[in-house]
Amino acid sequence: MKVRVGATTDIGQVREGNEDSYLVLEPLYAVADGMGGHRGGEVASSLALETVQGMFERQEGSLAEQVAEANRAVFDRSQNDRSVSGMGTTLTAAQIDGNRVHLVHVGDSRAYLMRGGELAQVTEDHTLVHRMVMEGEITAEEAETHPHRSILTRALGVDQTIQVDEGDIEVVPGDRLLLCTDGLTGMVPEGQIRGILLETVDPQEAVEKLIKVANRAGGIDNITAVILDFEDDGGPGATKESAIPQQPTMERPIPPAAPANRSDITIVGAPIPAPPPEAKASSSPRGGQTYRTERLTPEPGPQGGRPSSRHVGRKVGIWTGVTLAIVALGLLGLRLYLDSQWFVGVSNGRVAIFRGVPAEVGGFELHSVVVETSIPAERAESIGFYRGLPDGITADDRAGADAIVESIREDVARFEQSTP
Protein backbone atom coordinates (compact mmCIF):
# COMPACT_ATOMS: atom_id res chain seq x y z
CA MET A 1 0.00 0.00 0.00
CA LYS A 2 1.39 3.38 -1.03
CA VAL A 3 0.69 6.54 0.92
CA ARG A 4 0.62 10.15 -0.24
CA VAL A 5 0.81 12.76 2.50
CA GLY A 6 -0.28 16.35 2.98
CA ALA A 7 0.34 18.22 6.23
CA THR A 8 0.26 21.77 7.57
CA THR A 9 -0.37 23.82 10.71
CA ASP A 10 -1.46 27.44 11.14
CA ILE A 11 -1.66 29.90 14.02
CA GLY A 12 -5.22 30.93 13.13
CA GLN A 13 -6.70 34.42 13.42
CA VAL A 14 -6.87 34.98 17.18
CA ARG A 15 -4.11 33.16 19.06
CA GLU A 16 -0.78 34.87 19.76
CA GLY A 17 1.18 31.64 19.27
CA ASN A 18 0.75 28.17 17.81
CA GLU A 19 0.46 25.39 20.41
CA ASP A 20 -0.16 22.69 17.80
CA SER A 21 2.53 20.34 16.44
CA TYR A 22 2.49 17.49 13.96
CA LEU A 23 4.78 14.59 13.11
CA VAL A 24 5.37 13.06 9.69
CA LEU A 25 7.81 10.16 10.02
CA GLU A 26 6.91 7.42 7.55
CA PRO A 27 5.09 5.20 8.51
CA LEU A 28 4.13 7.19 11.64
CA TYR A 29 1.95 10.30 11.57
CA ALA A 30 0.52 12.34 14.45
CA VAL A 31 -1.04 15.64 15.52
CA ALA A 32 -0.96 17.23 18.98
CA ASP A 33 -2.79 20.24 20.43
CA GLY A 34 -1.07 21.72 23.49
CA MET A 35 -2.72 23.55 26.38
CA GLY A 36 -1.50 25.51 29.38
CA GLY A 37 -0.77 28.95 27.96
CA HIS A 38 1.30 30.02 24.97
CA ARG A 39 4.64 28.63 26.21
CA GLY A 40 3.20 25.62 28.05
CA GLY A 41 1.09 24.47 25.11
CA GLU A 42 3.96 24.66 22.64
CA VAL A 43 6.27 22.76 25.00
CA ALA A 44 3.68 20.07 25.74
CA SER A 45 2.77 19.26 22.14
CA SER A 46 6.35 19.31 20.83
CA LEU A 47 7.74 17.36 23.81
CA ALA A 48 5.08 14.68 23.40
CA LEU A 49 5.83 14.19 19.71
CA GLU A 50 9.60 14.29 20.25
CA THR A 51 9.24 11.54 22.85
CA VAL A 52 7.13 9.39 20.53
CA GLN A 53 9.53 10.01 17.66
CA GLY A 54 12.60 9.08 19.71
CA MET A 55 11.13 5.81 20.94
CA PHE A 56 9.81 4.96 17.48
CA GLU A 57 13.22 5.50 15.89
CA ARG A 58 14.86 3.38 18.60
CA GLN A 59 12.13 0.75 18.13
CA GLU A 60 11.21 0.87 21.81
CA GLY A 61 7.73 -0.34 22.75
CA SER A 62 4.40 -0.23 20.98
CA LEU A 63 2.77 3.00 19.82
CA ALA A 64 0.51 3.01 22.89
CA GLU A 65 3.57 2.57 25.13
CA GLN A 66 5.31 5.40 23.33
CA VAL A 67 2.32 7.67 23.98
CA ALA A 68 2.26 6.59 27.63
CA GLU A 69 5.93 7.56 27.90
CA ALA A 70 5.15 10.88 26.24
CA ASN A 71 2.54 11.44 28.96
CA ARG A 72 5.17 10.84 31.65
CA ALA A 73 7.61 13.20 29.92
CA VAL A 74 5.06 16.03 29.74
CA PHE A 75 3.88 15.41 33.32
CA ASP A 76 7.42 15.38 34.73
CA ARG A 77 8.37 18.55 32.89
CA SER A 78 5.19 20.23 34.13
CA GLN A 79 6.01 19.27 37.72
CA ASN A 80 9.65 20.36 37.57
CA ASP A 81 9.40 23.56 35.51
CA ARG A 82 7.15 26.21 37.04
CA SER A 83 7.08 28.20 33.82
CA VAL A 84 5.05 25.41 32.17
CA SER A 85 3.20 24.12 35.22
CA GLY A 86 -0.20 22.66 34.37
CA MET A 87 0.55 22.11 30.70
CA GLY A 88 -0.88 19.20 28.73
CA THR A 89 -1.64 18.11 25.19
CA THR A 90 -3.87 15.97 23.03
CA LEU A 91 -2.31 13.40 20.74
CA THR A 92 -3.77 11.42 17.84
CA ALA A 93 -1.39 9.14 15.95
CA ALA A 94 -1.57 6.65 13.08
CA GLN A 95 1.03 3.98 12.32
CA ILE A 96 0.75 2.26 8.93
CA ASP A 97 1.65 -1.37 8.36
CA GLY A 98 0.62 -2.55 4.90
CA ASN A 99 -3.15 -2.23 4.67
CA ARG A 100 -3.55 -1.86 8.44
CA VAL A 101 -3.58 1.47 10.29
CA HIS A 102 -3.02 1.39 14.04
CA LEU A 103 -4.58 4.40 15.76
CA VAL A 104 -3.72 5.73 19.23
CA HIS A 105 -5.69 8.63 20.65
CA VAL A 106 -5.98 10.89 23.71
CA GLY A 107 -7.98 14.14 23.87
CA ASP A 108 -10.23 15.94 21.40
CA SER A 109 -8.11 15.97 18.27
CA ARG A 110 -9.69 13.62 15.74
CA ALA A 111 -9.14 10.99 13.08
CA TYR A 112 -11.60 10.68 10.18
CA LEU A 113 -11.80 8.02 7.49
CA MET A 114 -13.14 8.92 4.05
CA ARG A 115 -14.29 5.86 2.09
CA GLY A 116 -16.64 5.71 -0.87
CA GLY A 117 -17.52 9.36 -0.50
CA GLU A 118 -18.59 8.98 3.13
CA LEU A 119 -16.75 10.58 6.05
CA ALA A 120 -16.70 8.87 9.46
CA GLN A 121 -15.05 9.93 12.71
CA VAL A 122 -13.03 6.96 14.01
CA THR A 123 -11.87 8.43 17.34
CA GLU A 124 -13.89 9.44 20.39
CA ASP A 125 -13.63 12.93 21.88
CA HIS A 126 -12.39 12.87 25.47
CA THR A 127 -14.44 15.91 26.50
CA LEU A 128 -16.96 16.69 29.16
CA VAL A 129 -19.71 17.46 26.64
CA HIS A 130 -19.14 14.19 24.76
CA ARG A 131 -19.56 12.31 28.03
CA MET A 132 -22.74 14.30 28.69
CA VAL A 133 -24.03 13.31 25.24
CA MET A 134 -23.22 9.65 25.85
CA GLU A 135 -25.05 9.78 29.19
CA GLY A 136 -28.10 11.42 27.59
CA GLU A 137 -27.79 14.72 29.46
CA ILE A 138 -27.60 16.81 26.28
CA THR A 139 -27.99 16.24 22.54
CA ALA A 140 -25.17 16.25 20.01
CA GLU A 141 -26.53 19.54 18.64
CA GLU A 142 -26.47 21.11 22.11
CA ALA A 143 -22.90 19.92 22.58
CA GLU A 144 -21.72 22.04 19.65
CA THR A 145 -22.49 25.28 21.53
CA HIS A 146 -22.24 24.08 25.13
CA PRO A 147 -20.14 26.37 27.40
CA HIS A 148 -18.14 23.33 28.60
CA ARG A 149 -17.26 22.08 25.13
CA SER A 150 -13.57 22.98 25.56
CA ILE A 151 -13.10 21.01 28.78
CA LEU A 152 -11.11 17.80 28.33
CA THR A 153 -11.64 14.69 30.41
CA ARG A 154 -8.37 13.15 29.24
CA ALA A 155 -5.06 14.68 28.08
CA LEU A 156 -1.36 13.89 28.17
CA GLY A 157 0.56 15.43 31.06
CA VAL A 158 -2.35 15.86 33.45
CA ASP A 159 -1.58 12.79 35.59
CA GLN A 160 1.30 10.35 35.95
CA THR A 161 -0.60 7.66 34.07
CA ILE A 162 -2.93 7.93 31.11
CA GLN A 163 -5.63 5.76 29.57
CA VAL A 164 -4.95 5.48 25.85
CA ASP A 165 -7.54 4.59 23.19
CA GLU A 166 -6.15 2.35 20.46
CA GLY A 167 -7.51 0.30 17.58
CA ASP A 168 -6.88 -0.92 14.03
CA ILE A 169 -8.44 0.04 10.72
CA GLU A 170 -8.13 -2.00 7.54
CA VAL A 171 -7.70 0.39 4.62
CA VAL A 172 -8.20 -0.15 0.89
CA PRO A 173 -6.97 1.81 -2.13
CA GLY A 174 -8.90 5.05 -2.41
CA ASP A 175 -9.29 5.54 1.35
CA ARG A 176 -8.32 8.90 2.82
CA LEU A 177 -7.41 9.38 6.50
CA LEU A 178 -7.55 12.83 8.13
CA LEU A 179 -5.84 13.64 11.44
CA CYS A 180 -6.70 17.11 12.78
CA THR A 181 -6.88 19.29 15.87
CA ASP A 182 -10.08 20.91 17.09
CA GLY A 183 -9.09 24.21 15.51
CA LEU A 184 -10.43 22.65 12.30
CA THR A 185 -13.44 20.72 13.57
CA GLY A 186 -14.50 23.56 15.86
CA MET A 187 -14.79 25.95 12.91
CA VAL A 188 -15.74 23.80 9.90
CA PRO A 189 -18.79 21.48 9.86
CA GLU A 190 -18.15 17.86 8.95
CA GLY A 191 -20.23 18.23 5.80
CA GLN A 192 -17.95 20.97 4.54
CA ILE A 193 -14.83 18.97 5.48
CA ARG A 194 -16.26 16.06 3.50
CA GLY A 195 -16.88 18.30 0.49
CA ILE A 196 -13.30 19.56 0.46
CA LEU A 197 -11.89 16.05 0.80
CA LEU A 198 -14.07 14.86 -2.07
CA GLU A 199 -13.29 17.65 -4.50
CA THR A 200 -9.55 18.06 -3.83
CA VAL A 201 -7.41 15.18 -5.09
CA ASP A 202 -3.96 16.36 -3.99
CA PRO A 203 -3.53 15.82 -0.22
CA GLN A 204 -1.35 18.90 0.33
CA GLU A 205 -3.80 21.10 -1.53
CA ALA A 206 -6.62 19.57 0.52
CA VAL A 207 -5.06 20.37 3.91
CA GLU A 208 -4.33 23.92 2.79
CA LYS A 209 -7.96 24.36 1.72
CA LEU A 210 -9.15 23.07 5.09
CA ILE A 211 -6.92 25.56 6.92
CA LYS A 212 -8.11 28.40 4.70
CA VAL A 213 -11.79 27.58 5.31
CA ALA A 214 -11.26 27.35 9.08
CA ASN A 215 -9.58 30.75 9.09
CA ARG A 216 -12.33 32.29 7.03
CA ALA A 217 -14.84 30.94 9.56
CA GLY A 218 -13.03 32.84 12.33
CA GLY A 219 -9.87 30.86 13.07
CA ILE A 220 -10.28 31.18 16.84
CA ASP A 221 -7.77 28.39 17.54
CA ASN A 222 -4.61 26.96 16.03
CA ILE A 223 -5.38 24.63 13.12
CA THR A 224 -3.49 21.48 12.11
CA ALA A 225 -4.34 18.80 9.55
CA VAL A 226 -2.56 15.74 8.16
CA ILE A 227 -4.07 13.78 5.24
CA LEU A 228 -2.99 10.27 4.25
CA ASP A 229 -4.12 8.96 0.87
CA PHE A 230 -3.91 5.19 0.33
CA GLU A 231 -3.15 3.81 -3.11
CA ASP A 232 -2.24 0.39 -4.45
CA ASP A 233 1.41 -0.45 -5.09
CA GLY A 234 1.13 0.55 -8.73
CA GLY A 235 0.31 4.15 -7.80
CA PRO A 236 2.65 7.05 -7.15
CA GLY A 237 5.11 6.65 -4.30
CA ALA A 238 4.71 8.16 -0.90
CA THR A 239 5.38 11.81 -0.58
CA LYS A 240 8.59 12.42 1.36
CA GLU A 241 8.27 14.67 4.38
CA SER A 242 10.53 15.81 7.20
CA ALA A 243 10.99 13.27 9.99
CA ILE A 244 11.12 15.96 12.67
CA PRO A 245 8.04 17.13 14.60
CA GLN A 246 6.99 20.23 12.73
CA GLN A 247 7.18 23.44 14.71
CA PRO A 248 4.20 25.77 14.57
CA THR A 249 4.19 28.09 11.59
CA MET A 250 3.66 31.78 12.22
CA GLU A 251 2.29 32.47 8.75
CA ARG A 252 -0.97 34.33 8.50
CA PRO A 253 -3.73 32.59 6.54
CA ILE A 254 -4.66 33.52 3.02
CA PRO A 255 -1.67 35.82 2.39
CA PRO A 256 -1.49 37.96 -0.74
CA ALA A 257 0.32 36.30 -3.58
CA ALA A 258 4.07 36.93 -3.63
CA PRO A 259 5.68 38.17 -6.84
CA ALA A 260 6.81 35.34 -9.08
CA ASN A 261 10.52 36.00 -8.52
CA ARG A 262 10.21 36.16 -4.72
CA SER A 263 8.99 32.62 -4.06
CA ASP A 264 11.29 32.35 -1.02
CA ILE A 265 9.30 34.95 0.91
CA THR A 266 6.00 34.42 2.64
CA ILE A 267 4.04 37.65 2.79
CA VAL A 268 2.45 38.18 6.20
CA GLY A 269 -0.49 40.41 7.03
CA ALA A 270 -3.27 42.07 5.11
CA PRO A 271 -2.95 42.53 1.34
CA ILE A 272 -1.96 45.97 0.09
CA PRO A 273 -4.73 47.57 -1.98
CA ALA A 274 -3.97 47.81 -5.68
CA PRO A 275 -2.89 51.34 -6.70
CA PRO A 276 -4.95 53.36 -9.15
CA PRO A 277 -4.04 52.72 -12.80
CA GLU A 278 -2.99 56.32 -13.39
CA ALA A 279 -0.31 56.16 -10.70
CA LYS A 280 3.26 56.35 -11.91
CA ALA A 281 5.55 53.31 -11.80
CA SER A 282 8.97 53.49 -10.21
CA SER A 283 11.62 50.81 -10.47
CA SER A 284 12.60 48.84 -7.39
CA PRO A 285 16.23 47.79 -6.91
CA ARG A 286 15.16 44.39 -5.55
CA GLY A 287 14.75 41.72 -8.19
CA GLY A 288 13.69 44.13 -10.91
CA GLN A 289 10.20 44.46 -9.42
CA THR A 290 8.21 47.61 -10.06
CA TYR A 291 6.06 49.33 -7.48
CA ARG A 292 3.57 52.07 -8.19
CA THR A 293 3.63 55.31 -6.27
CA GLU A 294 1.24 58.22 -6.46
CA ARG A 295 2.50 61.72 -5.79
CA LEU A 296 -0.05 64.17 -4.46
CA THR A 297 0.14 67.45 -6.38
CA PRO A 298 -0.94 70.50 -4.34
CA GLU A 299 -3.61 72.64 -5.86
CA PRO A 300 -2.31 75.94 -7.19
CA GLY A 301 -2.84 78.76 -4.72
CA PRO A 302 -3.24 82.47 -5.17
CA GLN A 303 0.45 83.23 -4.73
CA GLY A 304 2.46 81.94 -7.67
CA GLY A 305 1.02 78.45 -7.61
CA ARG A 306 1.45 77.97 -3.84
CA PRO A 307 -1.57 76.53 -2.03
CA SER A 308 -3.60 78.77 0.17
CA SER A 309 -2.86 78.12 3.87
CA ARG A 310 -6.55 78.62 4.67
CA HIS A 311 -7.53 76.05 2.03
CA VAL A 312 -4.91 73.55 3.23
CA GLY A 313 -5.93 74.06 6.82
CA ARG A 314 -9.58 73.47 5.98
CA LYS A 315 -8.72 70.20 4.15
CA VAL A 316 -6.51 69.02 7.00
CA GLY A 317 -9.27 69.77 9.47
CA ILE A 318 -11.84 67.84 7.44
CA TRP A 319 -9.64 64.79 7.06
CA THR A 320 -8.61 64.89 10.71
CA GLY A 321 -12.26 64.90 11.69
CA VAL A 322 -13.05 61.99 9.38
CA THR A 323 -10.10 60.00 10.73
CA LEU A 324 -11.10 60.63 14.34
CA ALA A 325 -14.68 59.62 13.56
CA ILE A 326 -13.53 56.34 11.99
CA VAL A 327 -11.29 55.59 14.97
CA ALA A 328 -14.11 56.39 17.40
CA LEU A 329 -16.52 54.10 15.56
CA GLY A 330 -13.92 51.32 15.51
CA LEU A 331 -13.32 51.63 19.25
CA LEU A 332 -17.06 51.70 19.90
CA GLY A 333 -17.53 48.53 17.85
CA LEU A 334 -14.67 46.82 19.68
CA ARG A 335 -16.10 47.81 23.06
CA LEU A 336 -19.57 46.53 22.15
CA TYR A 337 -18.05 43.23 20.99
CA LEU A 338 -15.92 42.79 24.12
CA ASP A 339 -18.86 43.62 26.36
CA SER A 340 -20.79 40.70 24.83
CA GLN A 341 -18.03 38.12 25.44
CA TRP A 342 -17.62 36.08 28.64
CA PHE A 343 -15.19 33.51 29.97
CA VAL A 344 -14.05 31.91 33.21
CA GLY A 345 -10.38 32.15 34.12
CA VAL A 346 -7.97 32.89 36.96
CA SER A 347 -7.54 36.15 38.89
CA ASN A 348 -5.26 36.44 41.92
CA GLY A 349 -5.08 32.67 42.20
CA ARG A 350 -8.86 32.24 42.27
CA VAL A 351 -11.51 31.22 39.77
CA ALA A 352 -13.05 34.35 38.26
CA ILE A 353 -15.61 35.46 35.70
CA PHE A 354 -14.31 37.83 33.02
CA ARG A 355 -16.00 40.04 30.47
CA GLY A 356 -14.13 40.20 27.16
CA VAL A 357 -11.80 37.73 25.45
CA PRO A 358 -8.77 35.93 26.96
CA ALA A 359 -6.18 37.81 24.92
CA GLU A 360 -4.16 40.98 24.79
CA VAL A 361 -3.09 43.26 21.94
CA GLY A 362 -0.04 45.49 22.17
CA GLY A 363 0.17 44.90 25.91
CA PHE A 364 -3.49 45.85 26.49
CA GLU A 365 -5.73 43.16 27.97
CA LEU A 366 -9.02 42.70 26.14
CA HIS A 367 -10.90 41.64 29.28
CA SER A 368 -11.74 42.67 32.82
CA VAL A 369 -12.69 40.81 35.99
CA VAL A 370 -16.37 40.90 36.86
CA VAL A 371 -16.51 38.41 39.74
CA GLU A 372 -13.63 36.87 41.65
CA THR A 373 -14.85 33.78 43.50
CA SER A 374 -13.44 32.13 46.61
CA ILE A 375 -12.57 28.93 44.70
CA PRO A 376 -8.79 28.37 44.65
CA ALA A 377 -7.73 28.05 41.02
CA GLU A 378 -5.05 25.51 41.95
CA ARG A 379 -7.69 23.11 43.27
CA ALA A 380 -9.79 23.50 40.15
CA GLU A 381 -6.78 22.94 37.86
CA SER A 382 -5.90 19.76 39.76
CA ILE A 383 -9.03 18.26 38.18
CA GLY A 384 -8.36 17.16 34.62
CA PHE A 385 -11.52 18.84 33.30
CA TYR A 386 -10.24 22.30 34.20
CA ARG A 387 -6.59 22.20 33.15
CA GLY A 388 -7.40 24.82 30.54
CA LEU A 389 -8.65 27.31 33.15
CA PRO A 390 -5.61 29.64 32.89
CA ASP A 391 -6.29 29.99 29.14
CA GLY A 392 -9.95 30.80 29.78
CA ILE A 393 -13.08 28.69 29.37
CA THR A 394 -15.44 30.59 27.09
CA ALA A 395 -19.15 31.00 27.74
CA ASP A 396 -22.00 32.20 25.55
CA ASP A 397 -23.19 34.75 28.11
CA ARG A 398 -23.04 35.70 31.79
CA ALA A 399 -25.44 32.93 32.73
CA GLY A 400 -23.19 30.42 30.98
CA ALA A 401 -20.18 31.74 32.89
CA ASP A 402 -22.07 31.41 36.16
CA ALA A 403 -22.97 27.81 35.24
CA ILE A 404 -19.30 26.99 34.59
CA VAL A 405 -18.31 28.43 37.98
CA GLU A 406 -20.98 26.39 39.73
CA SER A 407 -19.79 23.24 37.99
CA ILE A 408 -16.23 23.97 39.08
CA ARG A 409 -17.39 24.59 42.65
CA GLU A 410 -19.30 21.30 42.74
CA ASP A 411 -16.47 19.31 41.16
CA VAL A 412 -13.87 20.77 43.55
CA ALA A 413 -16.08 19.90 46.53
CA ARG A 414 -16.68 16.40 45.18
CA PHE A 415 -12.98 15.90 44.51
CA GLU A 416 -12.02 17.01 48.02
CA GLN A 417 -14.59 14.68 49.57
CA SER A 418 -13.22 11.72 47.62
CA THR A 419 -9.60 12.52 48.51
CA PRO A 420 -8.48 10.77 51.70
Side-chain angles (χ1 to χ4, degrees):
M1 187 76 70
K2 296 287 187 177
V3 181
R4 290 198 304 145
V5 183
T8 192
T9 185
D10 193 274
I11 191 174
Q13 301 280 16
V14 175
R15 301 285 187 177
E16 295 180 351
N18 195 335
E19 300 174 38
D20 286 3
S21 296
Y22 69 83
L23 173 64
V24 174
L25 177 60
E26 187 181 356
L28 177 62
Y29 309 88
V31 297
D33 179 2
M35 62 183 185
H38 174 37
R39 171 170 162 74
E42 286 186 3
V43 171
S45 64
S46 60
L47 176 59
L49 293 188
E50 287 167 3
T51 302
V52 170
Q53 176 188 353
M55 293 185 66
F56 178 78
E57 291 178 329
R58 295 189 299 271
Q59 299 182 353
E60 295 177 2
S62 66
L63 182 55
E65 291 169 337
Q66 293 162 9
V67 172
E69 183 59 32
N71 174 73
R72 284 189 287 270
V74 175
F75 179 80
D76 290 345
R77 176 70 178 274
S78 175
Q79 297 297 305
N80 297 324
D81 185 349
R82 295 188 63 182
S83 68
V84 293
S85 177
M87 69 177 179
T89 184
T90 70
L91 196 154
T92 301
Q95 183 175 343
I96 300 172
D97 181 12
N99 65 342
R100 182 179 67 89
V101 177
H102 185 61
L103 287 171
V104 170
H105 168 72
V106 176
D108 65 348
S109 295
R110 292 180 178 178
Y112 286 93
L113 179 65
M114 169 77 81
R115 174 178 293 173
E118 297 301 321
L119 184 67
Q121 181 180 343
V122 292
T123 54
E124 179 179 329
D125 293 346
H126 299 145
T127 60
L128 180 60
V129 294
H130 178 70
R131 189 172 69 182
M132 294 169 69
V133 171
M134 298 302 293
E135 294 176 353
E137 297 181 23
I138 60 174
T139 66
E141 290 72 22
E142 291 171 333
E144 294 178 359
T145 57
H146 197 278
H148 292 178
R149 61 187 178 277
S150 62
I151 299 177
L152 298 178
T153 57
R154 209 188 303 176
L156 298 186
V158 174
D159 295 304
Q160 285 183 310
T161 59
I162 186 69
Q163 180 182 349
V164 177
D165 289 355
E166 61 178 329
D168 293 334
I169 298 175
E170 295 292 329
V171 292
V172 297
D175 282 355
R176 170 170 273 189
L177 187 69
L178 167 67
L179 309 179
C180 60
T181 59
D182 67 338
L184 174 63
T185 55
M187 301 305 302
V188 185
E190 287 187 3
Q192 194 170 3
I193 293 175
R194 172 180 173 273
I196 292 172
L197 295 179
L198 280 174
E199 69 185 19
T200 312
V201 176
D202 181 73
Q204 187 60 39
E205 184 182 352
V207 294
E208 290 171 359
K209 281 188 177 180
L210 290 171
I211 298 297
K212 183 179 293 186
V213 170
N215 274 314
R216 285 178 173 168
I220 64 174
D221 201 355
N222 310 140
I223 316 155
T224 301
V226 175
I227 288 179
L228 309 177
D229 283 347
F230 298 91
E231 301 175 343
D232 58 31
D233 292 338
T239 301
K240 299 299 181 183
E241 297 280 355
S242 170
I244 297 177
Q246 301 299 306
Q247 297 305 311
T249 176
M250 298 303 291
E251 297 176 7
R252 296 292 294 173
I254 324 176
N261 58 344
R262 296 298 304 281
S263 59
D264 59 316
I265 294 179
T266 299
I267 299 178
V268 178
I272 300 173
E278 66 273 11
K280 297 182 179 180
S282 63
S283 176
S284 166
R286 302 182 67 177
Q289 300 173 59
T290 59
Y291 297 89
R292 294 188 181 273
T293 60
E294 184 175 12
R295 187 181 301 277
L296 296 176
T297 304
E299 296 183 12
Q303 300 179 4
R306 296 178 59 188
S308 164
S309 61
R310 179 183 303 175
H311 184 65
V312 171
R314 185 165 62 250
K315 291 184 69 176
V316 170
I318 291 172
W319 284 110
T320 300
V322 170
T323 301
L324 291 176
I326 292 173
V327 171
L329 288 173
L331 292 175
L332 177 61
L334 176 62
R335 170 51 58 191
L336 292 174
Y337 170 75
L338 294 178
D339 285 347
S340 67
Q341 305 301 303
W342 296 86
F343 70 95
V344 177
V346 178
S347 174
N348 297 319
R350 299 183 182 278
V351 176
I353 295 177
F354 292 79
R355 185 197 296 267
V357 295
E360 63 178 43
V361 175
F364 293 96
E365 293 183 338
L366 301 182
H367 53 262
S368 59
V369 178
V370 176
V371 175
E372 186 176 300
T373 73
S374 60
I375 307 171
E378 184 177 1
R379 295 183 184 177
E381 293 172 49
S382 66
I383 303 173
F385 298 166
Y386 306 116
R387 282 290 184 179
L389 188 62
D391 293 332
I393 301 173
T394 58
D396 292 334
D397 49 29
R398 173 60 189 272
D402 288 333
I404 293 174
V405 168
E406 287 307 309
S407 295
I408 293 175
R409 193 188 309 276
E410 293 173 3
D411 289 340
V412 167
R414 190 180 304 111
F415 180 79
E416 290 179 342
Q417 291 175 359
S418 62
T419 302

